[in-house]
């Protein structure tokens, strides 16, 4: 049984009219079940409006499901007595770095979480040290967060979550507002936390390049899970992904087009090296 | 000869210890009807540069000529300039504020002092250009999807009937379909309305696909200026300044390194497919 278990999740956004009657119901999730193993790196893909952010907010009780249950290490998110424990276990990082930073100094910001749950001062500092180290921001600990780049701010936000010693981090499009450098920084940080600290990662994104190294890729569309597998399995279904309004990496697309033109290439090529290794013998042979 | 930038410098904190060149000796001529991509990593000066083009920022020294007239000349109407050079900021949907879509698009032309009938005419035209029909007119802009909001914001600028449209990362935060929709729209505006487009972007794949000329900024200076093909040949230098070429460029370089001489001019998936198939069928 995994650290995160979602069972038949349904979530409706309900809009009320002036008389408080139900005016419009938007079914954001229509029966999502997912079991995530501790220590794994799982990516969730989906276009805007597919329900992926709603799903993320259900993971630590920011939203509660209309129907169905979320278990975080066997605690129900809907049990109020477990809410703090749930949030300590599953930390969240959001899209906009500017909305998540509250401290005037980087180290204060990182220490804010543990301070609020009554961690002894000495231990707060230990956690701050360790968290900043883990995201590679120790050199900036005495700076104002306002002077940092977007990528650096996101890393500080991740350190803030790390200081709560979570077993699992949910990241909701953490790179959507960053430039390519910032994006790489953040993804590298998350990958390291997963590998070195063994933290379970649930990464929600629509950048395909970011999920190539995930253990598992889940694709959502219209409030449901429509694909679930390794990156190779998922990216081998190029035309299906396009139907769900998603992209594939350029290399995968090129391989797919060449294959359609009759070249003998396998499905699901994800890296430049893989493609080149396959192409060279084919093209050399033809010329010989 | 639409916009001429001559020896432009912009210095933040001049004559203080914080003095810093945001733009350094920029010379650039943008012809009528061009589709230009402006790239550079965060802090390279590309946003600062775009804000000079419609007079939001004033250069520390140097000149900008719009259709031959110096915009820093005494008596030059910056208000006119701003209606001719439209600037769509990053996350333009944050600037929506009216009660419904139609009023929001009317706001700009209304402030030009046009007749109400003309204002409405322009708003209708602009909304049609971005592909939003009458069903959207009375909707609150805040209840639309991210891509739709962005279209409304772009329509607000189009209603000013600009000759030049500058878009600062118009696809940030959109999903792949939303991104293609917006860029397709920009391409259509360029082709059908003949509007000069300056597209600020982080995505090399996007600029490779759409623009005909690429300007690369680095630390406040113009580093490269040429067709995408010319610029992406410098992929190693681009990497040094925190940028990269499209993924396809790397495939081509890797193939060439292994003795498969695919043309270096290939920058998009379609071109690469055609080139490789040509070699294969030979």
């Amino acid at each position: 049984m995994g650290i995160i278990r979602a069972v038949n999740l349904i979530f409706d956004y309900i809009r009320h009219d002036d008389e408080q009657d139900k005016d419009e119901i938007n079914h954001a999730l229509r029966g999502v079940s997912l079991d995530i193993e501790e220590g794994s790196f799982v990516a969730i893909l989906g276009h805007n409006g597919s329900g992926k952010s709603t799903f993320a907010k259900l993971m630590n009780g920011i939203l509660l499901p209309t129907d169905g249950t979320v278990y975080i290490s066997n605690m129900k998110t809907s049990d109020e007595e477990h809410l703090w424990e749930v949030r300590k276990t599953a930390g969240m990082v959001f899209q906009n770095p500017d909305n998540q930073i509250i401290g005037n100094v980087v180290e204060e910001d990182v220490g804010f979480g543990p301070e609020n749950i009554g961690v002894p001062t000495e231990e707060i500092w230990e956690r701050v040290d360790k968290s900043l180290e883990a995201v590679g921001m120790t050199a900036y600990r005495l700076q104002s967060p306002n002077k940092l780049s977007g990528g650096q701010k996101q890393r500080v936000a991740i350190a803030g979550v790390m200081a709560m010693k979570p077993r699992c981090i949910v990241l909701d499009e953490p790179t959507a507002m960053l430039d390519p450098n910032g994006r790489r920084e953040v993804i590298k940080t998350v990958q390291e936390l997963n590998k070195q600290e063994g933290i379970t990662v649930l990464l929600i994104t629509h950048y395909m390049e970011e999920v190539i190294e995930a253990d598992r890729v889940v694709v959502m569309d219209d409030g449901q899970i429509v694909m679930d597998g390794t990156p190779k399995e998922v990216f081998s279904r190029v035309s299906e992904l396009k139907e769900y309004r998603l992209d594939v990496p350029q290399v995968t697309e090129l391989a797919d087009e060449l294959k359609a033109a009759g070249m003998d290439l396998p499905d699901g090529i994800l890296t430049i090296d893989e493609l080149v290794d396959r192409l060279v013998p084919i093209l050399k042979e033809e010329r010989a | 000869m639409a916009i001429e930038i001559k020896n432009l410098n912009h210095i933040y904190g001049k004559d203080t210890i914080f003095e810093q060149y945001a733009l350094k000796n920029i010379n650039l001529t943008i012809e009528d009807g061009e589709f230009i991509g402006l790239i550079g990593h965060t802090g390279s000066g590309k946003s600062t540069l775009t804000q000079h083009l419609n007079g939001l920022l004033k250069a520390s020294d140097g000149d900008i000529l719009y259709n031959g007239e110096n915009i820093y000349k005494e008596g030059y109407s910056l208000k006119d300039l701003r209606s001719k050079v439209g600037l769509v900021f990053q996350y333009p949907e944050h600037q929506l504020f009216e009660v419904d879509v139609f009023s929001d698009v009317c706001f700009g032309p209304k402030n030009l002092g046009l007749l109400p009938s003309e204002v409405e005419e322009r708003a209708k035209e602009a909304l049609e250009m971005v592909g939003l029909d009458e069903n959207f007119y009375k909707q609150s802009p805040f209840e639309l999807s991210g891509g739709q909001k962005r279209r409304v914001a772009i329509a607000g600028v189009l209603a000013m009937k600009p000759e030049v449209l500058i878009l600062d990362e118009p696809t940030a935060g959109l999903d792949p379909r939303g991104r293609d929709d917006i860029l397709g729209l920009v391409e259509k505006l360029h082709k059908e309305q003949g509007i000069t487009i300056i597209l600020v972007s982080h995505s090399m794949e996007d600029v490779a696909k759409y623009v005909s000329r690429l300007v690369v900024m680095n630390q406040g200076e113009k580093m490269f200026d040429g067709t995408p093909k010319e610029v992406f040949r410098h992929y190693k230098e681009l990497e040094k300044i925190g940028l990269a070429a499209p993924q396809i460029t790397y495939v081509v370089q890797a193939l060439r390194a292994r003795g498969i001489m695919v043309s270096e001019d290939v920058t998009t998936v379609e071109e690469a497919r055609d080139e490789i198939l040509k070699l294969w069928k030979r």
Side-chain angles (χ1 to χ4, degrees):
Chain A
M1 239 178 341
I3 181 161
I4 297 179
R5 255 187 323 133
V7 185
N8 275 324
L9 287 187
I10 294 189
F11 191 87
D12 296 335
Y13 286 101
I14 298 169
R15 213 166 71 170
H16 296 275
D17 62 15
D18 297 344
E19 279 81 45
Q20 294 303 310
D21 292 325
K22 283 182 189 175
D23 185 24
E24 203 181 302
I25 299 176
N26 180 0
H27 306 288
L29 295 179
R30 311 161 179 262
V32 173
S33 296
L34 197 62
D35 196 326
I36 291 172
E37 217 178 298
E38 177 135 29
S40 62
F41 190 123
V42 178
I44 298 191
L45 291 175
H47 61 79
N48 296 349
S50 60
K52 58 192 193 318
S53 291
T54 304
F55 183 72
K57 290 190 188 116
L58 287 163
M59 290 303 105
N60 70 354
I62 295 176
L63 295 177
L64 293 174
T66 310
D67 198 18
T69 321
V70 182
Y71 298 94
I72 298 296
S73 110
N74 290 322
M75 296 173 287
K76 276 191 197 177
T77 56
S78 52
D79 283 349
E80 208 155 319
E81 49 180 322
H82 289 143
L83 193 58
W84 283 99
E85 215 38 55
V86 163
R87 292 202 174 144
K88 266 192 259 172
T89 311
M92 276 204 76
V93 177
F94 299 95
Q95 190 182 97
N96 190 339
D98 294 320
N99 292 349
Q100 314 175 57
I101 292 193
I102 31 112
N104 292 324
V105 181
V106 167
E107 58 176 17
E108 271 175 27
D109 189 80
V110 176
F112 179 81
E115 197 180 353
N116 266 319
I117 52 169
V119 173
T121 313
E122 202 128 302
E123 200 193 325
I124 296 179
W125 287 118
E126 269 171 41
R127 289 192 185 192
V128 169
D129 288 346
K130 235 189 123 214
S131 309
L132 283 172
E133 191 69 45
V135 300
M137 287 295 290
T138 307
Y140 299 88
R141 65 179 302 156
L142 294 176
Q143 290 204 16
S144 156
N146 298 324
K147 301 245 165 177
L148 302 178
S149 73
Q152 290 170 334
K153 282 183 198 165
Q154 278 304 52
R155 279 152 69 198
V156 171
I158 295 172
V161 172
M162 287 296 293
M164 302 293 281
K165 294 202 173 173
R167 283 159 64 197
C168 168
I169 298 189
V170 181
L171 302 107
D172 188 4
E173 296 193 42
T175 61
M177 299 180 84
L178 306 181
D179 68 5
N181 272 341
R183 215 176 286 160
R184 268 195 295 272
E185 259 173 45
V186 169
I187 295 301
K188 208 176 120 235
T189 305
V190 175
Q191 282 168 346
E192 278 170 11
L193 291 180
N194 174 251
K195 291 218 171 73
Q196 284 160 18
E197 320 269 329
I199 291 178
T200 312
V201 172
L202 190 61
L203 173 70
I204 291 164
T205 182
H206 48 233
Y207 289 109
M208 309 303 134
E209 301 87 334
E210 293 175 358
V211 311
I212 289 171
E213 287 184 41
D215 298 314
R216 180 175 169 197
V217 177
V218 174
V219 179
M220 289 190 63
D221 183 59
D222 197 21
Q224 284 168 320
I225 291 178
V226 288
M227 292 166 101
D228 186 351
T230 62
K232 225 177 191 30
E233 286 162 6
V234 169
F235 285 128
S236 63
R237 290 145 73 183
V238 175
S239 56
E240 212 176 315
L241 280 168
K242 289 202 165 163
E243 268 170 44
Y244 297 130
R245 305 183 48 172
L246 293 170
D247 252 0
V248 294
Q250 278 197 323
V251 197
T252 312
E253 195 176 349
L254 178 60
D256 192 61
E257 299 236 343
L258 291 173
K259 193 168 174 250
M263 271 193 174
D264 182 23
L265 292 169
D267 280 332
I269 287 183
L270 297 176
T271 66
I272 295 169
D273 291 342
E274 225 179 324
L275 177 65
V276 172
D277 283 344
R278 292 278 181 176
L279 277 179
V280 169
I282 296 176
L283 292 170
K284 285 219 162 133
E285 193 185 315
E286 287 296 322
R287 277 203 243 160
Chain B
M1 190 191 52
I3 303 175
E4 259 181 286
I5 302 169
K6 288 186 176 167
N7 306 319
L8 191 79
N9 285 303
H10 191 95
I11 305 164
Y12 285 122
K14 201 176 176 183
D15 298 329
T16 71
I17 52 162
F18 300 110
E19 185 173 294
Q20 198 186 353
Y21 276 86
L23 292 175
K24 208 170 179 180
N25 197 28
I26 305 284
N27 283 288
L28 191 65
T29 302
I30 298 162
E31 305 288 345
D32 277 332
E34 276 197 288
F35 193 155
I36 294 186
L38 186 57
I39 60 177
H41 68 89
T42 314
S44 61
K46 56 192 193 315
S47 292
T48 307
L49 179 61
T50 55
Q51 287 174 39
H52 279 81
L53 297 182
N54 73 350
L56 281 180
L57 285 177
K58 190 173 187 302
S60 304
D61 47 29
D63 288 309
I64 296 177
L65 274 60
Y66 187 75
N67 288 334
E69 259 193 283
N70 194 331
I71 68 165
Y72 295 138
K73 196 180 64 186
E74 212 174 306
Y76 187 88
S77 166
L78 286 174
K79 196 177 163 198
D80 284 353
L81 178 70
R82 288 183 190 133
S83 70
K84 285 180 202 141
V85 181
L87 181 56
V88 178
F89 286 101
Q90 242 181 74
Y91 297 95
E93 61 274 22
H94 293 171
Q95 298 167 44
L96 299 172
F97 67 99
E98 276 281 12
V99 289
D100 61 49
V101 167
F102 196 74
S103 328
D104 207 284
V105 178
C106 285
F107 180 78
K110 207 155 74 187
N111 277 317
L112 290 178
L114 302 169
L115 290 172
S117 56
E118 164 90 347
V119 171
E120 283 183 20
E121 195 54 40
R122 282 191 178 200
K124 277 182 193 160
E125 259 177 47
L127 282 164
E128 199 192 319
M129 280 188 239
V130 300
L132 294 175
D133 62 29
E134 281 175 36
N135 295 325
F136 288 96
Y137 287 7
K138 289 292 154 214
Q139 282 195 41
S140 161
F142 303 103
E143 287 175 358
L144 303 176
S145 77
Q148 287 166 341
K149 278 187 201 169
R150 206 159 288 186
R151 279 157 187 275
V152 175
I154 293 174
V157 175
L158 288 174
M160 303 294 280
K161 296 212 170 170
E163 296 165 356
V164 180
L165 186 62
I166 304 169
L167 301 112
D168 196 352
E169 289 193 57
T171 61
L174 295 183
D175 65 20
R177 175 80 68 91
R179 178 199 65 204
D180 291 346
D181 284 353
I182 292 285
L183 291 175
L185 163 70
V186 171
E187 194 182 33
K188 201 178 91 185
L189 290 171
H190 174 246
K191 280 201 182 124
E192 291 176 9
Q193 313 285 329
I195 301 176
T196 308
I197 307 275
I198 301 172
L199 176 71
V200 179
S201 178
H202 277 316
S203 162
M204 305 305 136
E205 281 79 10
D206 289 349
V207 290
K209 199 165 158 193
Y210 291 99
V211 310
S212 51
R213 178 177 167 199
L214 200 51
V215 174
V216 182
M217 299 284 296
N218 182 39
Q219 295 186 343
E221 292 182 79
K222 188 173 82 173
M223 190 175 181
F224 296 113
D225 181 357
T227 62
K229 293 181 198 328
E230 286 161 6
V231 171
F232 288 138
R233 273 190 213 134
H234 301 281
Y235 68 100
K236 285 195 177 130
E237 285 140 289
L238 289 174
E239 276 168 24
K240 276 191 206 127
I241 60 167
L243 298 170
Q247 220 186 4
I248 287 299
T249 305
Y250 295 94
V251 175
V252 170
Q253 294 299 339
L255 283 171
R256 288 174 69 89
R258 304 269 294 262
I260 309 279
M261 297 322 253
V262 182
S263 160
E264 272 191 294
D265 284 345
V266 164
T267 53
T268 67
V269 172
E270 292 74 28
E271 288 168 0
R273 176 196 61 202
D274 295 345
E275 268 291 311
I276 291 170
L277 288 177
K278 217 160 67 193
L279 288 175
W280 184 48
K281 288 194 173 128
R282 198 161 5 172

